[in-house]
Amino acid sequence: MTLTNDPKYDRGVKKLFGAYTEEDENGDRILNNEALENILQDFEICPQLCEWQEVAEALQQTVKPDKEGMNFTEFKKFLKKVAVSEFKKKKYDNRFPSHDLRHNAILAYLRADDTEALLERARECQMAHSREDLGHSSVLSDDSPISSRSHKPSSSKKEKSHTHTHTHTSSSTHRKSKHSHDTSSGDSHELDEDDLVSRPPAPVDRVGEG
């Protein structure tokens, strides 16, 4: 799947990936499965926007089952697949008829064009993760579609690093972020279709194979 996207989102997507990864000894960055789950929850992609099973299917189409984590190219491909799966649904009344528009829609949902706000939100969520009671159970069960691809969590979460591999926040923590997509009523966010439509994509450039 080869898609193009509005280039104004490129920097934000790269910064988002960098905020949840660290360089290994070879200088490569890999987003592990737990960090991916944190992104999905911190930015209310899942379950607010789409179902975990849909995310798991996109993940299966992106990386091999025996591979732990994904690189930046795979992360972009993963977002594209999630976008196409979500924004083709009938509930959007064909507002996003092409794959490119669907791809841009999820980047707009992430507010990837506002890098400063995106990074601040990531920092706030990471601080909340580190403040959490280490004994608090994860929002996801060990047999969740994404968690099942990786090793089972240690019985002692104190063994885990909280620099980039974080514990999961509750939905109430997400609502406290001033850059959250929550509605004024305080309920979990539902996609504001009018907002996305009001921000039509500019001419797009190719961002790589999807």
mmCIF file of all heavy atoms in Angstrom, residues 3 119 159:
data_model
loop_
_atom_site.group_PDB
_atom_site.id
_atom_site.type_symbol
_atom_site.label_atom_id
_atom_site.label_comp_id
_atom_site.label_asym_id
_atom_site.label_seq_id
_atom_site.Cartn_x
_atom_site.Cartn_y
_atom_site.Cartn_z
ATOM 1 N N LEU A 3 0.921 5.206 -0.051
ATOM 2 C CA LEU A 3 0.060 6.358 0.179
ATOM 3 C C LEU A 3 0.898 7.618 0.276
ATOM 4 O O LEU A 3 2.070 7.590 0.631
ATOM 5 C CB LEU A 3 -0.736 6.185 1.482
ATOM 6 C CG LEU A 3 -1.702 5.015 1.568
ATOM 7 C CD1 LEU A 3 -2.389 5.043 2.919
ATOM 8 C CD2 LEU A 3 -2.726 5.062 0.457
ATOM 9 N N LEU A 119 4.448 16.885 21.379
ATOM 10 C CA LEU A 119 5.513 16.485 22.295
ATOM 11 C C LEU A 119 5.169 16.802 23.743
ATOM 12 O O LEU A 119 5.517 16.045 24.657
ATOM 13 C CB LEU A 119 6.816 17.174 21.900
ATOM 14 C CG LEU A 119 7.460 16.680 20.599
ATOM 15 C CD1 LEU A 119 8.703 17.497 20.282
ATOM 16 C CD2 LEU A 119 7.802 15.200 20.690
ATOM 17 N N GLU A 159 10.962 -3.877 37.902
ATOM 18 C CA GLU A 159 12.105 -4.253 37.095
ATOM 19 C C GLU A 159 12.127 -3.510 35.775
ATOM 20 O O GLU A 159 13.096 -3.537 35.051
ATOM 21 C CB GLU A 159 12.069 -5.765 36.820
ATOM 22 C CG GLU A 159 12.162 -6.597 38.083
ATOM 23 C CD GLU A 159 11.944 -8.066 37.795
ATOM 24 O OE1 GLU A 159 11.706 -8.412 36.616
ATOM 25 O OE2 GLU A 159 12.001 -8.858 38.733
#
